[in-house]
Structures are given as C-alpha cells and as structure tokens.
Amino acid sequence: MSRRVAQIVCAIFGIAMFLLFFSPHPTARAITLSITTEYWQLIYASALIVGTISFLRVNLKNIQRGNDTIYRVVSIIGLLAMPVCAIIWGINVGSPFMWTFENIQVPMQSTVFALLAFFVASASFRGFRARSLPAAVLLLSAVLILMSRSWAEGEIANALISTADWVRSYPSMAARRAILIGIGLGSLTTSLRVIIGIERTWLGGGR
Amino acid sequence: MKLEPRHYTFLGLLVVVFGSMLLGIRPEVSISEETRRMHAYIDSLPEGSTLIYSFDHESSSLPEIRPAALALLRHSFSKGHRIVGLALLAEGTGIGYRLMDMVAHEQNKQYGSDWVYLGFKPQYIAAILSMGESLQKTFPQDYLGHPYDSLALLSGIINYSQVNAVVSIGDGNMAVHWIEYGQSRFGVTITSAMTAAMVTTYDPYISSGQLHALIGGLRGAAEYETLSGQSGGGLRGMLAQASAHVYVLLLILAGNVIYFIARRRGA
C-alpha cells in the first residue's frame, strides 16, 4: 500500500513539474518560482542535516573503535568549527570564518589539487602504453591536445594546434555528441519510466 | 626512507617546475580562436552593459581559475560594464568577492553602482531557474547585507532580460546547467572561463552556439591577458605549465620505449 501511495505521489508531482516547467502561464510561473526558491532550498537544507548527522555518527563510531582517531577528531573539529565561527562572528570579510577559509581551506585544497600533477607524471611513465592500435590512437590524441595547450611558437606549433583542433572538432566532437544525446535520451526514458510506474527500483527494488 | 622509481619521477617534476619558474621568461602566446571570440564579445558590448559573474568553482582549482577570472574582470571593468557577482558553489563565494573587490579597487569602481556581489545561493539548478523569474526574490539582499532595492545597479534588473550575459567562472560542469536552464529556457547569453581539463566537454555547446564563448585554463588566461594588454598570472604560469607538459610527454615517450624494448626481449 505504502509503495502504491509513493508511486502515485511521484507520478502526480512528476507530471506537474513537467507541465509547470514548460508552461508560460503566470500562475504556472508563480508556482515554479515558489517551488524553486523555497521548497527546493528546504529539501537541500534537510539533506544537508541528514548528511551532517550521518558524518558525525560514522566518525564517532570509528573513534570509539579506535580507527584513525586523530584524523576523525580533526574532521569533526573542522565540521563544527566553521558553522560555529559563522554563527558567532558572521561570514563577512575579515571574520574568523573567512580567515579560516582563506588561510587553511583554500591552501589545503589547492595543494591537494596540485598533487595531481605528480600522479599524472608518475602515471604517464607507468601507465600510458601503446599496447594496441586503439590505445595508440588515444595516446596520440592525448599528446596532441596536451602539446596544443602548452606554450610553443612557429610553424610546428601552428601545425600542432591545427591538428589538435581538427581532433576536437571532428572525431572527439562526434563521440561527445553521441554520448550527450545518449545521456539525454536515457534520462528522459528513465524519468518517464519512473513517472509511469514501470521503473520501481527507487522504491527499494523488487516488483 | 628508500626512494622508489616514482619518487624520482616526482622529484623530476618538482625540479622542472621550480626551475622554469626561476627562469622568469615571459613567453609569447599565440591566440586561439576561442579566446579571441570571448575577448571580442566583451569588447563589443556597449558601455554600461550588465554582466553576471558567477563563481561556480571550488578553491582547489584556484591556481588555474584565478588568472582567467582576473583577466576577464579587469577587461570588463575597463570597458565600463556593470558587474553583478554571485556564487553557485559555496567555496566560490568568498573567492569571488575578494577577486571582484580587488579589481574594483584597482579601477576605482564603486560598490553599488559599478558592481555588486549577491553572494551564494544553494541548489544551483533552483537558483538558475529562480533568477530567470526574479533576481530579487532569489537574492533579497547582497553579500554584505544591503537590501536588493537599496543598490543603484540593481534597480531595474528584474531577471535575465536586463542582463547582457552570464560569465560562469567554473571548474566543473556548472556551465552546462547555465546552458540547460539559463540559456535554453530564458535565452540569456552564456560564456565561461574554465579549467583546461573541462574545455573539450564544451566543444559541442560552442559548436551549437549554446555556449557563446569560453576561455580555457591557464593558457586561455594567458591569451586573454595578451589580447587585453594585461600582465597577470596566466602569462607567469605558462612557462611552468608548458615545461611540466614537456616533462610528462618525455615520461610517456620513455615509458613506451622501455615497454617496447621489454616486449621485444620477452618475445
């Protein structure tokens, strides 16, 4: 019974949202606006609360078991410190929240991102092999694109850039378009299947 | 600690990047068609045009995003355009404000009349759709807490109809959402500055005209700086990036040579 009710609610709201999205009628626009400005935000905030509670529970449980205690304590302190700073002193420029963000979070994240370069360097030596014809073609294309994004001048550089542009404009573009159209059709089909009630895996599997 | 082969690879990269940065050479950059198109678009807008700058990125991509954002902001302000800043990812909020504030100070632009910063709105699809209906209802007050109505720049700006273009400064596929919900539904012109890794993802959108123009990565920033006569982080970083690319290419070459020699011996 509860599954049937969930399906009916999903179908009603699915069709309503579809109609509201494409309708230029002022009432439809007003409803869409209230849904997007208010209700979606509420859902987002609720999801954030669920995520935070889940994060705390998982980490506290692991602390009790003695798994990576230091890292988990630091994570929890970080999780709590930022909202506490924001609530007490606000998030304006010069506030402790913004200081922490600019001087701890930004450098740390930039450092982690920069570390990728080292892994790419290691992988390029160990992993990028022309083991077969398709692998060789892929490798050649990657090298061409990489070189076209580097600094180089003169006739050779121009030829490289033209070749890389050709790769991006034809073979790569054709593949990307096919993938994008496939994703679009797949999303549309799945949405229709959910609204009509053919697709029921979101209810927890089974028929 | 015993050094493994991969540690030597890491050390090599460190030496190459530091070495090239110490050289301090300013490379000449050839301009790509994409960047030329972006520059021409900002140039072609009449003075007083309104642009939305959306900082749709996280702090991890700042080294690549910052030079592009600064180059675009400097050019836009110098052309007399009015800029409305906002962020659809939380981490872009503070970064976006800092960058806009810095460039506005450089060019003596007044907050409230030449630029405003609306801050962050969660749930990006909802925010993009909502701004298409009403910018004021989406952001009742700006980042600094001023009511929407009290800011001169925003008077008369109801939705995208009064905005010339959106510039999405992004590191992921946020510009896709701007295209799908902002451009397709409300017809606003979308442009973007993005990390180099994302550029090829947007080729179909550029080809179809749904994405009007883009600049890609550090090279794009360097090209834009060259076109607009600026000296910034794009040009400074190009030598380090190019030498790292060459290093990676040499490693690929070496890895393949070793692989084929080993395979021949094995056979």
Side-chain angles (χ1 to χ4, degrees):
Chain A
M1 180 62 187
S2 58
R3 286 162 70 92
R4 178 67 65 192
V5 170
Q7 265 181 297
I8 292 167
V9 169
C10 178
I12 290 169
F13 278 89
I15 293 165
M17 284 303 293
F18 180 81
L19 294 175
L20 286 171
F21 188 84
F22 289 104
S23 171
H25 194 276
T27 314
R29 284 280 169 111
I31 295 169
T32 311
L33 182 61
S34 69
I35 290 171
T36 52
T37 51
E38 292 161 23
Y39 295 102
W40 281 22
Q41 305 295 343
L42 280 174
I43 294 167
Y44 176 85
S46 308
L48 206 61
I49 293 167
V50 173
T52 309
I53 292 168
S54 170
F55 180 85
L56 281 171
R57 280 183 62 182
V58 168
N59 280 287
L60 288 172
K61 213 175 268 182
N62 277 287
I63 288 170
Q64 277 178 345
R65 289 176 190 156
N67 297 339
D68 301 327
T69 308
I70 294 172
Y71 300 116
R72 292 180 191 281
V73 168
V74 170
S75 298
I76 290 173
I77 290 171
L79 180 80
L80 298 175
M82 293 300 271
V84 166
C85 285
I87 290 163
I88 298 173
W89 295 287
I91 57 167
N92 288 335
V93 177
S95 63
F97 174 88
M98 205 42 86
W99 186 92
T100 314
F101 175 71
E102 286 177 349
N103 296 290
I104 297 177
Q105 190 170 343
V106 171
M108 279 200 308
Q109 285 201 208
S110 298
T111 306
V112 171
F113 190 64
L115 285 176
L116 279 178
F118 291 93
F119 292 115
V120 168
S122 178
S124 64
F125 182 63
R126 293 139 66 99
F128 300 155
R129 301 277 184 271
R131 288 193 170 90
S132 60
L133 184 63
V137 171
L138 194 67
L139 189 62
L140 189 66
S141 310
V143 167
L144 263 172
I145 300 292
L146 193 65
M147 288 171 79
S148 74
R149 303 304 298 174
S150 300
W151 160 49
E153 289 177 81
E155 288 303 311
I156 295 171
N158 288 338
L160 274 173
I161 292 168
S162 305
T163 317
D165 285 348
W166 182 87
V167 169
R168 280 176 55 190
S169 304
Y170 296 99
S172 168
M173 183 95 79
R176 279 201 181 278
R177 280 212 173 111
I179 292 165
L180 285 171
I181 291 168
I183 292 169
L185 290 174
S187 307
L188 191 69
T189 314
T190 309
S191 306
L192 278 174
R193 282 167 63 88
V194 170
I195 289 171
I196 293 167
I198 300 169
E199 177 69 52
R200 296 172 198 171
T201 46
W202 62 278
L203 289 166
R207 286 181 171 276
Chain B
M1 188 181 84
K2 191 187 169 192
L3 288 177
E4 293 175 25
R6 65 192 169 100
H7 294 142
Y8 292 109
T9 318
F10 296 163
L11 279 173
L13 182 65
L14 192 75
V15 170
V16 164
V17 171
F18 266 99
S20 60
M21 285 173 89
L22 287 173
L23 282 176
I25 299 169
R26 294 294 172 91
E28 290 289 324
V29 179
S30 52
I31 314 295
S32 69
E33 196 48 47
E34 294 158 359
T35 312
R36 205 179 289 280
R37 188 179 161 89
M38 184 76 173
H39 185 268
Y41 178 67
I42 300 286
D43 237 15
S44 68
L45 291 171
E47 192 179 330
S49 297
T50 306
L51 298 169
I52 287 181
Y53 267 69
S54 182
F55 293 87
D56 308 328
H57 57 84
E58 292 172 328
S59 44
S60 55
S61 52
L62 204 56
E64 210 175 357
I65 284 290
R66 195 173 185 272
L70 284 175
L72 274 165
L73 281 169
R74 284 186 177 126
H75 187 215
S76 301
F77 271 134
S78 71
K79 295 300 292 182
H81 303 326
R82 304 182 310 161
I83 300 178
V84 180
L86 54 96
L88 297 183
L89 288 183
E91 286 182 31
T93 317
I95 295 166
Y97 179 77
R98 280 282 193 201
L99 295 180
M100 285 188 71
D101 188 45
M102 191 178 107
V103 180
H105 266 92
E106 278 175 17
Q107 304 200 7
N108 291 321
K109 298 291 177 184
Q110 294 301 312
Y111 188 84
S113 54
D114 297 317
W115 70 287
V116 293
Y117 197 73
L118 296 175
F120 168 63
K121 193 75 185 170
Q123 239 302 334
Y124 40 84
I125 295 173
I128 295 168
L129 285 172
S130 172
M131 279 188 277
E133 301 290 345
S134 167
L135 221 67
Q136 185 172 10
K137 281 191 176 166
T138 316
F139 293 96
Q141 56 184 28
D142 72 351
Y143 182 57
L144 305 174
H146 304 118
Y148 190 95
D149 287 333
S150 68
L151 298 157
L153 194 159
L154 297 173
S155 65
I157 296 181
I158 300 162
N159 53 34
Y160 297 131
S161 308
Q162 292 79 39
V163 171
N164 293 73
V166 172
V167 183
S168 173
I169 313 284
D171 60 1
N173 60 352
M174 200 67 86
V176 171
H177 299 303
W178 275 111
I179 291 164
E180 285 177 351
Y181 297 100
Q183 198 274 334
S184 301
R185 172 145 187 182
F186 299 102
V188 65
T189 303
I190 308 294
T191 61
S192 183
M194 60 187 68
T195 49
M198 292 306 295
V199 170
T200 52
T201 306
Y202 289 90
D203 282 342
Y205 296 109
I206 282 281
S207 165
S208 66
Q210 289 167 292
L211 180 63
H212 190 74
L214 69 84
I215 60 173
L218 207 61
R219 188 189 166 98
E223 290 171 6
Y224 205 91
E225 284 167 7
T226 307
L227 274 174
S228 49
Q230 302 173 29
S231 175
L235 282 165
R236 273 199 304 275
M238 270 310 284
L239 190 63
Q241 180 178 278
S243 47
H245 281 181
V246 171
Y247 178 68
V248 166
L249 290 173
L250 289 175
L251 286 175
I252 292 173
L253 191 69
N256 276 279
V257 168
I258 293 166
Y259 167 71
F260 281 111
I261 290 170
R263 202 167 73 163
R264 188 167 288 177
R265 279 183 187 159

PDB file of all heavy atoms in Angstrom, chain A residues 64-94:
ATOM      1  N   GLN A  64      35.262   5.522  18.667  1.00  0.00           N
ATOM      2  CA  GLN A  64      35.046   4.556  19.765  1.00  0.00           C
ATOM      3  C   GLN A  64      35.831   3.272  19.525  1.00  0.00           C
ATOM      4  O   GLN A  64      36.366   2.666  20.443  1.00  0.00           O
ATOM      5  CB  GLN A  64      33.559   4.234  19.869  1.00  0.00           C
ATOM      6  CG  GLN A  64      32.783   5.274  20.675  1.00  0.00           C
ATOM      7  CD  GLN A  64      31.296   4.973  20.723  1.00  0.00           C
ATOM      8  OE1 GLN A  64      30.801   4.168  19.938  1.00  0.00           O
ATOM      9  NE2 GLN A  64      30.597   5.618  21.631  1.00  0.00           N
ATOM     10  N   ARG A  65      35.921   2.870  18.243  1.00  0.00           N
ATOM     11  CA  ARG A  65      36.643   1.632  17.903  1.00  0.00           C
ATOM     12  C   ARG A  65      38.154   1.849  17.795  1.00  0.00           C
ATOM     13  O   ARG A  65      38.908   0.896  17.603  1.00  0.00           O
ATOM     14  CB  ARG A  65      36.131   1.083  16.564  1.00  0.00           C
ATOM     15  CG  ARG A  65      34.732   0.522  16.652  1.00  0.00           C
ATOM     16  CD  ARG A  65      34.274   0.084  15.282  1.00  0.00           C
ATOM     17  NE  ARG A  65      32.861  -0.249  15.273  1.00  0.00           N
ATOM     18  CZ  ARG A  65      32.087  -0.226  14.211  1.00  0.00           C
ATOM     19  NH1 ARG A  65      32.584   0.147  13.045  1.00  0.00           N
ATOM     20  NH2 ARG A  65      30.823  -0.555  14.282  1.00  0.00           N
ATOM     21  N   GLY A  66      38.554   3.121  17.802  1.00  0.00           N
ATOM     22  CA  GLY A  66      39.985   3.430  17.723  1.00  0.00           C
ATOM     23  C   GLY A  66      40.548   3.411  16.313  1.00  0.00           C
ATOM     24  O   GLY A  66      41.759   3.283  16.121  1.00  0.00           O
ATOM     25  N   ASN A  67      39.673   3.584  15.303  1.00  0.00           N
ATOM     26  CA  ASN A  67      40.144   3.620  13.910  1.00  0.00           C
ATOM     27  C   ASN A  67      40.494   5.050  13.500  1.00  0.00           C
ATOM     28  O   ASN A  67      39.616   5.911  13.474  1.00  0.00           O
ATOM     29  CB  ASN A  67      39.049   3.113  12.948  1.00  0.00           C
ATOM     30  CG  ASN A  67      38.692   1.677  13.188  1.00  0.00           C
ATOM     31  OD1 ASN A  67      39.474   0.937  13.765  1.00  0.00           O
ATOM     32  ND2 ASN A  67      37.501   1.279  12.771  1.00  0.00           N
ATOM     33  N   ASP A  68      41.748   5.303  13.137  1.00  0.00           N
ATOM     34  CA  ASP A  68      42.195   6.631  12.667  1.00  0.00           C
ATOM     35  C   ASP A  68      41.656   7.754  13.551  1.00  0.00           C
ATOM     36  O   ASP A  68      41.122   8.759  13.049  1.00  0.00           O
ATOM     37  CB  ASP A  68      41.745   6.868  11.210  1.00  0.00           C
ATOM     38  CG  ASP A  68      42.292   5.816  10.282  1.00  0.00           C
ATOM     39  OD1 ASP A  68      43.400   5.331  10.528  1.00  0.00           O
ATOM     40  OD2 ASP A  68      41.600   5.474   9.298  1.00  0.00           O
ATOM     41  N   THR A  69      41.804   7.618  14.837  1.00  0.00           N
ATOM     42  CA  THR A  69      41.164   8.551  15.784  1.00  0.00           C
ATOM     43  C   THR A  69      41.550  10.014  15.520  1.00  0.00           C
ATOM     44  O   THR A  69      40.667  10.880  15.459  1.00  0.00           O
ATOM     45  CB  THR A  69      41.555   8.167  17.230  1.00  0.00           C
ATOM     46  OG1 THR A  69      41.271   6.788  17.386  1.00  0.00           O
ATOM     47  CG2 THR A  69      40.769   8.967  18.253  1.00  0.00           C
ATOM     48  N   ILE A  70      42.864  10.263  15.340  1.00  0.00           N
ATOM     49  CA  ILE A  70      43.312  11.661  15.201  1.00  0.00           C
ATOM     50  C   ILE A  70      42.647  12.338  13.999  1.00  0.00           C
ATOM     51  O   ILE A  70      42.125  13.451  14.094  1.00  0.00           O
ATOM     52  CB  ILE A  70      44.849  11.715  15.065  1.00  0.00           C
ATOM     53  CG1 ILE A  70      45.475  11.237  16.371  1.00  0.00           C
ATOM     54  CG2 ILE A  70      45.321  13.126  14.741  1.00  0.00           C
ATOM     55  CD1 ILE A  70      46.969  11.052  16.318  1.00  0.00           C
ATOM     56  N   TYR A  71      42.660  11.632  12.863  1.00  0.00           N
ATOM     57  CA  TYR A  71      42.093  12.228  11.643  1.00  0.00           C
ATOM     58  C   TYR A  71      40.598  12.503  11.809  1.00  0.00           C
ATOM     59  O   TYR A  71      40.072  13.514  11.353  1.00  0.00           O
ATOM     60  CB  TYR A  71      42.311  11.295  10.442  1.00  0.00           C
ATOM     61  CG  TYR A  71      43.767  11.014  10.180  1.00  0.00           C
ATOM     62  CD1 TYR A  71      44.288   9.731  10.295  1.00  0.00           C
ATOM     63  CD2 TYR A  71      44.627  12.048   9.817  1.00  0.00           C
ATOM     64  CE1 TYR A  71      45.632   9.478  10.064  1.00  0.00           C
ATOM     65  CE2 TYR A  71      45.971  11.805   9.590  1.00  0.00           C
ATOM     66  CZ  TYR A  71      46.471  10.519   9.716  1.00  0.00           C
ATOM     67  OH  TYR A  71      47.791  10.281   9.487  1.00  0.00           O
ATOM     68  N   ARG A  72      39.940  11.574  12.466  1.00  0.00           N
ATOM     69  CA  ARG A  72      38.481  11.721  12.629  1.00  0.00           C
ATOM     70  C   ARG A  72      38.149  12.862  13.596  1.00  0.00           C
ATOM     71  O   ARG A  72      37.174  13.587  13.385  1.00  0.00           O
ATOM     72  CB  ARG A  72      37.866  10.400  13.094  1.00  0.00           C
ATOM     73  CG  ARG A  72      37.952   9.344  11.995  1.00  0.00           C
ATOM     74  CD  ARG A  72      37.367   8.026  12.390  1.00  0.00           C
ATOM     75  NE  ARG A  72      37.701   7.015  11.416  1.00  0.00           N
ATOM     76  CZ  ARG A  72      37.078   6.866  10.242  1.00  0.00           C
ATOM     77  NH1 ARG A  72      36.094   7.680   9.918  1.00  0.00           N
ATOM     78  NH2 ARG A  72      37.442   5.926   9.405  1.00  0.00           N
ATOM     79  N   VAL A  73      38.968  13.014  14.628  1.00  0.00           N
ATOM     80  CA  VAL A  73      38.754  14.125  15.579  1.00  0.00           C
ATOM     81  C   VAL A  73      38.952  15.461  14.846  1.00  0.00           C
ATOM     82  O   VAL A  73      38.142  16.391  14.986  1.00  0.00           O
ATOM     83  CB  VAL A  73      39.712  14.007  16.792  1.00  0.00           C
ATOM     84  CG1 VAL A  73      39.718  15.285  17.620  1.00  0.00           C
ATOM     85  CG2 VAL A  73      39.312  12.827  17.661  1.00  0.00           C
ATOM     86  N   VAL A  74      40.012  15.531  14.030  1.00  0.00           N
ATOM     87  CA  VAL A  74      40.271  16.761  13.265  1.00  0.00           C
ATOM     88  C   VAL A  74      39.094  17.056  12.325  1.00  0.00           C
ATOM     89  O   VAL A  74      38.648  18.209  12.193  1.00  0.00           O
ATOM     90  CB  VAL A  74      41.602  16.640  12.471  1.00  0.00           C
ATOM     91  CG1 VAL A  74      41.764  17.797  11.494  1.00  0.00           C
ATOM     92  CG2 VAL A  74      42.785  16.589  13.417  1.00  0.00           C
ATOM     93  N   SER A  75      38.571  16.014  11.677  1.00  0.00           N
ATOM     94  CA  SER A  75      37.426  16.187  10.768  1.00  0.00           C
ATOM     95  C   SER A  75      36.231  16.769  11.508  1.00  0.00           C
ATOM     96  O   SER A  75      35.584  17.703  11.026  1.00  0.00           O
ATOM     97  CB  SER A  75      37.004  14.847  10.157  1.00  0.00           C
ATOM     98  OG  SER A  75      38.026  14.314   9.413  1.00  0.00           O
ATOM     99  N   ILE A  76      35.955  16.207  12.683  1.00  0.00           N
ATOM    100  CA  ILE A  76      34.777  16.664  13.445  1.00  0.00           C
ATOM    101  C   ILE A  76      34.989  18.101  13.943  1.00  0.00           C
ATOM    102  O   ILE A  76      34.076  18.931  13.867  1.00  0.00           O
ATOM    103  CB  ILE A  76      34.477  15.696  14.614  1.00  0.00           C
ATOM    104  CG1 ILE A  76      33.967  14.372  14.046  1.00  0.00           C
ATOM    105  CG2 ILE A  76      33.439  16.286  15.563  1.00  0.00           C
ATOM    106  CD1 ILE A  76      33.782  13.266  15.064  1.00  0.00           C
ATOM    107  N   ILE A  77      36.213  18.380  14.402  1.00  0.00           N
ATOM    108  CA  ILE A  77      36.501  19.758  14.852  1.00  0.00           C
ATOM    109  C   ILE A  77      36.294  20.737  13.682  1.00  0.00           C
ATOM    110  O   ILE A  77      35.671  21.789  13.830  1.00  0.00           O
ATOM    111  CB  ILE A  77      37.939  19.873  15.420  1.00  0.00           C
ATOM    112  CG1 ILE A  77      38.028  19.117  16.754  1.00  0.00           C
ATOM    113  CG2 ILE A  77      38.344  21.334  15.617  1.00  0.00           C
ATOM    114  CD1 ILE A  77      39.440  18.977  17.301  1.00  0.00           C
ATOM    115  N   GLY A  78      36.808  20.345  12.514  1.00  0.00           N
ATOM    116  CA  GLY A  78      36.637  21.188  11.317  1.00  0.00           C
ATOM    117  C   GLY A  78      35.176  21.386  10.976  1.00  0.00           C
ATOM    118  O   GLY A  78      34.737  22.502  10.674  1.00  0.00           O
ATOM    119  N   LEU A  79      34.425  20.299  11.049  1.00  0.00           N
ATOM    120  CA  LEU A  79      32.992  20.346  10.715  1.00  0.00           C
ATOM    121  C   LEU A  79      32.236  21.277  11.665  1.00  0.00           C
ATOM    122  O   LEU A  79      31.363  22.028  11.236  1.00  0.00           O
ATOM    123  CB  LEU A  79      32.393  18.937  10.788  1.00  0.00           C
ATOM    124  CG  LEU A  79      30.909  18.837  10.474  1.00  0.00           C
ATOM    125  CD1 LEU A  79      30.674  18.837   8.979  1.00  0.00           C
ATOM    126  CD2 LEU A  79      30.299  17.591  11.086  1.00  0.00           C
ATOM    127  N   LEU A  80      32.600  21.254  12.935  1.00  0.00           N
ATOM    128  CA  LEU A  80      31.874  22.064  13.915  1.00  0.00           C
ATOM    129  C   LEU A  80      32.404  23.503  13.974  1.00  0.00           C
ATOM    130  O   LEU A  80      31.633  24.442  14.188  1.00  0.00           O
ATOM    131  CB  LEU A  80      31.966  21.423  15.309  1.00  0.00           C
ATOM    132  CG  LEU A  80      31.354  20.021  15.443  1.00  0.00           C
ATOM    133  CD1 LEU A  80      31.610  19.448  16.823  1.00  0.00           C
ATOM    134  CD2 LEU A  80      29.856  20.040  15.152  1.00  0.00           C
ATOM    135  N   ALA A  81      33.712  23.657  13.776  1.00  0.00           N
ATOM    136  CA  ALA A  81      34.320  24.985  13.943  1.00  0.00           C
ATOM    137  C   ALA A  81      33.781  25.999  12.938  1.00  0.00           C
ATOM    138  O   ALA A  81      33.494  27.151  13.304  1.00  0.00           O
ATOM    139  CB  ALA A  81      35.835  24.880  13.816  1.00  0.00           C
ATOM    140  N   MET A  82      33.629  25.572  11.682  1.00  0.00           N
ATOM    141  CA  MET A  82      33.208  26.530  10.645  1.00  0.00           C
ATOM    142  C   MET A  82      31.813  27.098  10.905  1.00  0.00           C
ATOM    143  O   MET A  82      31.647  28.327  10.923  1.00  0.00           O
ATOM    144  CB  MET A  82      33.302  25.897   9.253  1.00  0.00           C
ATOM    145  CG  MET A  82      34.712  25.580   8.799  1.00  0.00           C
ATOM    146  SD  MET A  82      35.780  27.033   8.713  1.00  0.00           S
ATOM    147  CE  MET A  82      35.495  27.591   7.053  1.00  0.00           C
ATOM    148  N   PRO A  83      30.789  26.248  11.128  1.00  0.00           N
ATOM    149  CA  PRO A  83      29.466  26.854  11.418  1.00  0.00           C
ATOM    150  C   PRO A  83      29.439  27.656  12.712  1.00  0.00           C
ATOM    151  O   PRO A  83      28.753  28.683  12.783  1.00  0.00           O
ATOM    152  CB  PRO A  83      28.521  25.643  11.493  1.00  0.00           C
ATOM    153  CG  PRO A  83      29.353  24.440  11.491  1.00  0.00           C
ATOM    154  CD  PRO A  83      30.696  24.792  10.986  1.00  0.00           C
ATOM    155  N   VAL A  84      30.218  27.211  13.733  1.00  0.00           N
ATOM    156  CA  VAL A  84      30.235  27.964  14.995  1.00  0.00           C
ATOM    157  C   VAL A  84      30.808  29.370  14.749  1.00  0.00           C
ATOM    158  O   VAL A  84      30.237  30.385  15.174  1.00  0.00           O
ATOM    159  CB  VAL A  84      31.055  27.205  16.079  1.00  0.00           C
ATOM    160  CG1 VAL A  84      31.380  28.109  17.259  1.00  0.00           C
ATOM    161  CG2 VAL A  84      30.284  25.977  16.544  1.00  0.00           C
ATOM    162  N   CYS A  85      31.928  29.437  14.007  1.00  0.00           N
ATOM    163  CA  CYS A  85      32.532  30.738  13.671  1.00  0.00           C
ATOM    164  C   CYS A  85      31.539  31.599  12.884  1.00  0.00           C
ATOM    165  O   CYS A  85      31.412  32.804  13.130  1.00  0.00           O
ATOM    166  CB  CYS A  85      33.792  30.542  12.811  1.00  0.00           C
ATOM    167  SG  CYS A  85      35.190  29.952  13.733  1.00  0.00           S
ATOM    168  N   ALA A  86      30.860  30.951  11.929  1.00  0.00           N
ATOM    169  CA  ALA A  86      29.908  31.694  11.081  1.00  0.00           C
ATOM    170  C   ALA A  86      28.749  32.242  11.905  1.00  0.00           C
ATOM    171  O   ALA A  86      28.329  33.385  11.712  1.00  0.00           O
ATOM    172  CB  ALA A  86      29.394  30.789   9.975  1.00  0.00           C
ATOM    173  N   ILE A  87      28.260  31.428  12.847  1.00  0.00           N
ATOM    174  CA  ILE A  87      27.104  31.856  13.655  1.00  0.00           C
ATOM    175  C   ILE A  87      27.501  32.984  14.609  1.00  0.00           C
ATOM    176  O   ILE A  87      26.787  33.968  14.754  1.00  0.00           O
ATOM    177  CB  ILE A  87      26.515  30.644  14.428  1.00  0.00           C
ATOM    178  CG1 ILE A  87      25.831  29.686  13.448  1.00  0.00           C
ATOM    179  CG2 ILE A  87      25.505  31.101  15.483  1.00  0.00           C
ATOM    180  CD1 ILE A  87      25.567  28.301  13.991  1.00  0.00           C
ATOM    181  N   ILE A  88      28.663  32.860  15.235  1.00  0.00           N
ATOM    182  CA  ILE A  88      29.057  33.862  16.237  1.00  0.00           C
ATOM    183  C   ILE A  88      29.539  35.164  15.572  1.00  0.00           C
ATOM    184  O   ILE A  88      29.106  36.257  15.926  1.00  0.00           O
ATOM    185  CB  ILE A  88      30.157  33.297  17.170  1.00  0.00           C
ATOM    186  CG1 ILE A  88      29.604  32.093  17.939  1.00  0.00           C
ATOM    187  CG2 ILE A  88      30.646  34.372  18.158  1.00  0.00           C
ATOM    188  CD1 ILE A  88      30.627  31.345  18.770  1.00  0.00           C
ATOM    189  N   TRP A  89      30.461  35.059  14.606  1.00  0.00           N
ATOM    190  CA  TRP A  89      31.094  36.267  14.054  1.00  0.00           C
ATOM    191  C   TRP A  89      30.675  36.598  12.617  1.00  0.00           C
ATOM    192  O   TRP A  89      31.181  37.544  12.037  1.00  0.00           O
ATOM    193  CB  TRP A  89      32.621  36.130  14.115  1.00  0.00           C
ATOM    194  CG  TRP A  89      33.145  36.062  15.515  1.00  0.00           C
ATOM    195  CD1 TRP A  89      33.219  37.100  16.405  1.00  0.00           C
ATOM    196  CD2 TRP A  89      33.670  34.916  16.202  1.00  0.00           C
ATOM    197  NE1 TRP A  89      33.753  36.662  17.599  1.00  0.00           N
ATOM    198  CE2 TRP A  89      34.042  35.329  17.503  1.00  0.00           C
ATOM    199  CE3 TRP A  89      33.855  33.585  15.854  1.00  0.00           C
ATOM    200  CZ2 TRP A  89      34.580  34.461  18.442  1.00  0.00           C
ATOM    201  CZ3 TRP A  89      34.387  32.714  16.790  1.00  0.00           C
ATOM    202  CH2 TRP A  89      34.744  33.149  18.063  1.00  0.00           C
ATOM    203  N   GLY A  90      29.823  35.777  12.035  1.00  0.00           N
ATOM    204  CA  GLY A  90      29.387  36.041  10.657  1.00  0.00           C
ATOM    205  C   GLY A  90      30.395  35.548   9.632  1.00  0.00           C
ATOM    206  O   GLY A  90      31.442  34.990   9.982  1.00  0.00           O
ATOM    207  N   ILE A  91      30.060  35.784   8.344  1.00  0.00           N
ATOM    208  CA  ILE A  91      30.932  35.265   7.271  1.00  0.00           C
ATOM    209  C   ILE A  91      31.509  36.392   6.415  1.00  0.00           C
ATOM    210  O   ILE A  91      31.969  36.160   5.306  1.00  0.00           O
ATOM    211  CB  ILE A  91      30.169  34.251   6.381  1.00  0.00           C
ATOM    212  CG1 ILE A  91      28.909  34.890   5.776  1.00  0.00           C
ATOM    213  CG2 ILE A  91      29.809  32.993   7.161  1.00  0.00           C
ATOM    214  CD1 ILE A  91      28.298  34.079   4.666  1.00  0.00           C
ATOM    215  N   ASN A  92      31.470  37.607   6.943  1.00  0.00           N
ATOM    216  CA  ASN A  92      31.979  38.726   6.145  1.00  0.00           C
ATOM    217  C   ASN A  92      33.501  38.709   6.053  1.00  0.00           C
ATOM    218  O   ASN A  92      34.170  37.967   6.775  1.00  0.00           O
ATOM    219  CB  ASN A  92      31.509  40.057   6.737  1.00  0.00           C
ATOM    220  CG  ASN A  92      30.028  40.255   6.494  1.00  0.00           C
ATOM    221  OD1 ASN A  92      29.458  39.698   5.551  1.00  0.00           O
ATOM    222  ND2 ASN A  92      29.398  41.016   7.368  1.00  0.00           N
ATOM    223  N   VAL A  93      34.013  39.554   5.184  1.00  0.00           N
ATOM    224  CA  VAL A  93      35.462  39.659   5.013  1.00  0.00           C
ATOM    225  C   VAL A  93      36.099  40.059   6.344  1.00  0.00           C
ATOM    226  O   VAL A  93      35.613  40.961   7.022  1.00  0.00           O
ATOM    227  CB  VAL A  93      35.783  40.725   3.935  1.00  0.00           C
ATOM    228  CG1 VAL A  93      37.280  40.911   3.787  1.00  0.00           C
ATOM    229  CG2 VAL A  93      35.159  40.324   2.617  1.00  0.00           C
ATOM    230  N   GLY A  94      37.171  39.363   6.732  1.00  0.00           N
ATOM    231  CA  GLY A  94      37.859  39.679   7.976  1.00  0.00           C
ATOM    232  C   GLY A  94      37.351  38.895   9.179  1.00  0.00           C
ATOM    233  O   GLY A  94      37.941  38.953  10.250  1.00  0.00           O
TER     234      GLY A  94
END
